Amino acid sequence: EPNYVKPRLVLYDAVNEYNADNSGQNDCSVEIQAALDAAHTDGGGVVYLPAGFYRLDHPLTVYANTQLRGCNNTLAQCQRYNSRGTFILAYYGLDDVTPTTGQALITLDGNKAGVSGLRIGYPALNPYKTLYTGATLPKYRYAIRGIGNDIYVTNVYIPGAYNGLEITGDRFVLRKVLGCFYKSAFKVSGHDGLISACLCNGACTLKPGSTLISDYDEWGGNTERP
């Protein structure tokens, strides 16, 4: 089975080296992007997000030979409110006009760029707080877009997104991506790609895993959760 090419094995710790806030209270996109830019300048590496909650008000770009990595070594979803992993809270991407073409939350821009071991949630896409219809559902840009060859997304959990992943180029690897996607889950093109052990499941919306952001407080009461 095809596998992704490992990045340059140099670690850039977004929290301890670049002061990214992992409490979920403050936007940390500038600090994470600074770590990604440093890795890019050096020729690639692993930008590490330790366990915690990362609020993104702006998009991120992961360049060639670089991996944006959370703390999860395998696919993991949340039970009740007990997330202990790396969780991105996406406040970027609302777009009623061009949700399928605007810049994604995370852009894998270059060959051998990837993301692994984290979770992505959209606090405003809360179907248990607001009864949406197909016409009123907030439209968001893609969570992840890959541009280039040998792109990979592995061990990623997305409990509720409008658009999930869009991947172009050859030899992509999408492995163990689990979530609920209201418009598009996976849009791929190119040759010799792999989609393995991926699932779209509406039950994921009941397991957002966070009480730190008030918008999440009403994502299903405990009686509705497993």
Side-chain angles (χ1 to χ4, degrees):
E1 182 177 284
N3 205 346
Y4 63 85
V5 179
K6 291 182 179 180
R8 176 172 172 262
L9 297 180
V10 177
L11 188 69
Y12 300 78
D13 189 318
V15 173
N16 295 300
E17 295 180 53
Y18 293 88
N19 300 313
D21 174 27
N22 66 343
S23 71
Q25 302 297 328
N26 302 296
D27 174 42
C28 58
S29 52
V30 171
E31 291 80 7
I32 296 174
Q33 190 60 57
L36 292 165
D37 291 346
H40 178 51
T41 299
D42 295 342
V46 178
V47 174
Y48 180 54
L49 304 180
F53 295 87
Y54 298 82
R55 175 173 177 145
L56 295 185
D57 292 347
H58 304 281
L60 300 177
T61 301
V62 182
Y63 297 102
N65 304 308
T66 302
Q67 180 184 114
L68 180 64
R69 185 175 184 85
C71 71
N72 299 89
N73 288 323
T74 187
L75 176 64
Q77 61 178 327
C78 307
Q79 296 293 333
R80 297 185 182 273
Y81 301 118
N82 69 346
S83 175
R84 297 294 184 268
T86 299
F87 202 119
I88 289 175
L89 298 166
Y91 284 87
Y92 164 83
L94 183 63
D95 185 346
D96 287 332
V97 179
T98 59
T100 59
T101 58
Q103 184 175 354
L105 176 71
I106 299 172
T107 300
L108 306 176
D109 187 7
N111 296 341
K112 304 175 185 177
V115 59
S116 182
L118 52 77
R119 306 164 189 180
I120 301 172
Y122 288 79
L125 278 176
N126 182 344
Y128 303 100
K129 185 175 182 180
T130 303
L131 182 61
Y132 293 118
T133 67
T136 62
L137 184 71
K139 297 177 176 62
Y140 276 79
R141 298 174 180 180
Y142 277 96
I144 300 172
R145 174 176 287 124
I147 304 170
N149 297 325
D150 301 296
I151 295 292
Y152 58 94
V153 181
T154 66
N155 297 324
V156 171
Y157 174 57
I158 307 176
Y162 186 78
N163 283 311
L165 280 60
E166 181 183 40
I167 309 296
T168 62
D170 299 334
R171 300 181 301 278
F172 61 83
V173 173
L174 307 182
R175 181 183 289 118
K176 295 184 178 179
V177 180
L178 168 64
C180 179
F181 310 96
Y182 302 122
K183 176 64 176 179
S184 175
F186 308 106
K187 181 180 179 181
V188 300
S189 60
H191 301 281
D192 302 316
L194 171 71
I195 301 176
S196 175
C198 295
L199 176 66
C200 178
N201 189 333
C204 293
T205 62
L206 285 169
K207 304 171 185 178
S210 171
T211 59
L212 298 182
I213 301 298
S214 60
D215 290 346
Y216 270 85
D217 292 346
E218 299 176 35
W219 272 60
N222 286 340
T223 58
E224 299 176 57
R225 296 171 179 271

